[in-house]
Amino acid sequence: MKHRKKLIAWLFKKSQKIYGDLFINRKPWGIKKGDLLNYPEDSFGKHLGIFLNENNFELIPKGERHDAYHTLTGYKTKVEDEIALQYLCIGNGKRSLYAIGAAVFGGIVLPEYFNYYYKSFCLGKTANAFYHFNYKNLLLVSMNDLRSAIFLKHQIKSMYQYKTI
């Protein structure tokens, strides 16, 4: 399993920039992690900055939305969590080539996480649509208010119940 996870991580790393350059037409936010860490304490922007800081990341130009999904949902950055996040987004209505490809390939290569992927898909399906938001415009919104507008209380709890450690 270790080698399969390494393969997927390598493919994610290699394909991320290529896909962004070829298929994503959004403009980069032009915001750094340090800027986000200066946002108000309960803001989505501050939580995004904390996520980036904890993982030693900067925002991916034109791919900032992906880190916003992690922050909003609480999904970690392990390979199986990255794949589960794609299933959640597909369940929520996202139909990008990258999301579908990552979910299908990840599901085939790591089938032992099928229940996790299925629960993630179901969570996305029952949540209010969030995959299409302009997250740059939501950076000052309260994290709790944003999550409460998308997920029911029991869904928020389940987001953390199924995460791998």
Side-chain angles (χ1 to χ4, degrees), residues 3-157:
H3 296 297
R4 291 181 286 143
K5 286 184 180 185
K6 280 186 176 183
L7 170 65
I8 293 173
W10 180 82
L11 287 171
F12 278 156
K13 187 173 185 172
K14 294 295 181 187
S15 63
Q16 197 173 61
K17 180 164 178 23
I18 295 167
Y19 184 81
D21 290 344
L22 293 176
F23 296 104
I24 299 177
N25 295 324
R26 295 182 297 268
K27 291 186 179 186
W29 291 4
I31 299 174
K32 298 288 183 193
K33 171 178 43 180
D35 301 329
L36 294 168
L37 290 170
N38 289 320
Y39 273 64
E41 284 304 310
D42 186 43
S43 69
F44 178 67
K46 176 76 168 203
H47 284 268
L48 178 56
I50 291 168
F51 166 79
L52 295 169
N53 200 45
E54 287 175 348
N55 291 284
N56 201 26
F57 294 159
E58 281 291 345
L59 286 171
I60 303 164
K62 298 192 327 183
E64 297 91 348
R65 186 181 290 181
H66 180 78
D67 291 323
Y69 294 153
H70 276 287
T71 303
L72 179 64
T73 63
Y75 280 69
K76 304 295 182 201
T77 60
K78 290 181 182 180
V79 169
E80 59 270 24
D81 298 318
E82 292 283 359
I83 296 165
L85 179 61
Q86 297 304 323
Y87 275 92
L88 181 131
C89 289
I90 291 167
N92 198 248
K94 185 175 182 178
R95 297 292 183 264
S96 75
L97 178 64
Y98 195 87
I100 293 168
V104 169
F105 186 74
I108 291 169
V109 174
L110 295 173
E112 55 270 36
Y113 293 100
F114 174 79
N115 287 339
Y116 180 32
Y117 300 154
Y118 179 72
K119 288 173 183 171
S120 295
F121 175 83
C122 291
L123 175 62
K125 193 131 184 86
T126 58
N128 290 321
F130 66 86
Y131 73 92
H132 63 291
F133 287 168
N134 180 338
Y135 286 95
K136 184 178 181 183
N137 291 341
L138 299 174
L139 293 174
L140 288 171
V141 172
S142 158
M143 180 65 148
N144 291 330
D145 290 349
L146 184 57
R147 277 190 177 144
S148 294
I150 296 168
F151 302 104
L152 299 172
K153 283 184 182 182
H154 77 277
Q155 291 174 318
I156 293 170
K157 287 181 183 176

